[in-house]
Amino acid sequence: YMFERNLVELSYTIIESTESGATVDEMAEAMPHIVIINFLDFSIREDNPDWLQPAHMTFDKEPRRTAYGKLDVFNIQLPQFAEREPDFDDDGECWLYVMYQAHIKKITPQEVLKMDGRLERFANTNPGFQQFQTRFREALADPELMTVLRMEASERIRQAGMKKAIEKNRDRAIALRMLKRNRPIDEIVEDTGLTVDEIRALISAQRKRNADL
């Protein structure tokens, strides 16, 4: 659900910035670092043997270019990954190898581990994978559980986005009250958790609103 998490994070950032009256540059400054990973069943770069292809999103015109440094896109080309020897010392490659083999051979991750002894270190030391195996076995035993797990994951994503938006709005409201009392920026940072750039963006937005009035 990484793609959905990225969209939730980005959408709440845009909504909050728009409601605060921030400029496009201020919105770009407040934007978190977004990473999108695409799993492709085809090769987009036949002339390049690397299975992992970074793809920066570039724009020809302002103001969209202001967000250039905050967005990374990585394309994992599964056909090219399958044709090379994976690095079994890298947990990320072990994860991808297990999932890919389980998918194309229609077997369980546990069976993939038995199929290749080079995965033994990964299987024994990666706590996330051990937890995944337990949930996967439960889901295989009960197809209805798989649906429930997916719904729970979607709800967690939605709740996390809402919670973050509420907390951010609360911190900004506190910061605005402190600014009205002429409190120093370093004190506001300490009390709210906002960054210096976020507080400066609030100051700029407040000045713009005052000028409009």
Side-chain angles (χ1 to χ4, degrees):
Y1 291 95
M2 183 174 291
F3 187 70
E4 285 88 346
R5 286 200 301 273
N6 289 336
L7 289 178
V8 167
E9 182 78 25
L10 184 57
S11 63
Y12 274 104
T13 299
I14 292 174
I15 291 170
E16 292 168 10
S17 299
T18 302
E19 290 178 347
S20 71
T23 66
V24 173
D25 287 336
E26 291 166 345
M27 289 170 65
E29 277 192 22
M31 186 183 298
H33 189 176
I34 303 295
V35 179
I36 297 176
I37 300 177
N38 298 315
F39 293 88
L40 308 177
D41 60 0
F42 59 91
S43 297
I44 57 175
R45 294 280 303 278
E46 296 291 352
D47 61 328
N48 190 321
D50 295 334
W51 60 272
L52 181 64
Q53 292 287 334
H56 288 289
M57 293 293 204
T58 58
F59 301 97
D60 294 331
K61 297 180 180 180
E62 297 290 357
R64 289 174 293 182
R65 190 180 296 168
T66 58
Y68 176 85
K70 296 294 187 75
L71 177 63
D72 283 310
V73 179
F74 296 94
N75 296 309
I76 294 178
Q77 303 170 113
L78 292 177
Q80 292 196 27
F81 176 82
E83 293 174 2
R84 59 181 290 283
E85 185 70 18
D87 179 3
F88 289 103
D89 289 327
D90 183 287
D91 277 9
E93 292 204 25
C94 287
W95 267 103
L96 187 54
Y97 179 83
V98 171
M99 296 300 100
Y100 182 68
Q101 294 297 328
H103 175 66
I104 62 172
K105 291 182 169 60
K106 300 188 185 309
I107 59 178
T108 66
Q110 292 80 6
E111 291 173 305
V112 176
L113 296 179
K114 294 177 183 177
M115 184 179 71
D116 200 317
R118 293 171 296 179
L119 291 165
E120 182 177 358
R121 179 206 61 81
F122 166 69
N124 292 331
T125 60
N126 190 298
F129 188 75
Q130 294 169 18
Q131 294 172 17
F132 168 77
Q133 289 185 85
T134 301
R135 299 300 290 273
F136 191 85
R137 281 194 296 268
E138 293 173 353
L140 285 179
D142 184 359
E144 292 184 3
L145 179 59
M146 180 66 82
T147 301
V148 172
L149 292 176
R150 286 173 176 160
M151 292 175 62
E152 288 177 352
S154 296
E155 181 61 18
R156 283 197 299 273
I157 293 168
R158 190 182 72 83
Q159 292 290 344
M162 292 177 62
K163 181 180 178 183
K164 181 157 188 175
I166 292 170
E167 291 174 349
K168 205 72 163 180
N169 286 333
R170 179 198 63 204
D171 293 339
R172 285 175 174 166
I174 294 172
L176 285 171
R177 289 198 295 270
M178 295 181 73
L179 286 170
K180 289 180 180 178
R181 296 198 299 269
N182 296 318
R183 306 309 304 166
I185 288 181
D186 58 347
E187 182 179 328
I188 299 175
V189 169
E190 184 177 350
D191 287 355
T192 65
L194 296 177
T195 66
V196 172
D197 288 340
E198 287 175 320
I199 294 170
R200 286 175 176 164
L202 280 176
I203 294 172
S204 298
Q206 189 67 33
R207 287 174 178 168
K208 182 179 182 300
R209 279 197 293 268
N210 292 339
D212 292 339
L213 293 175

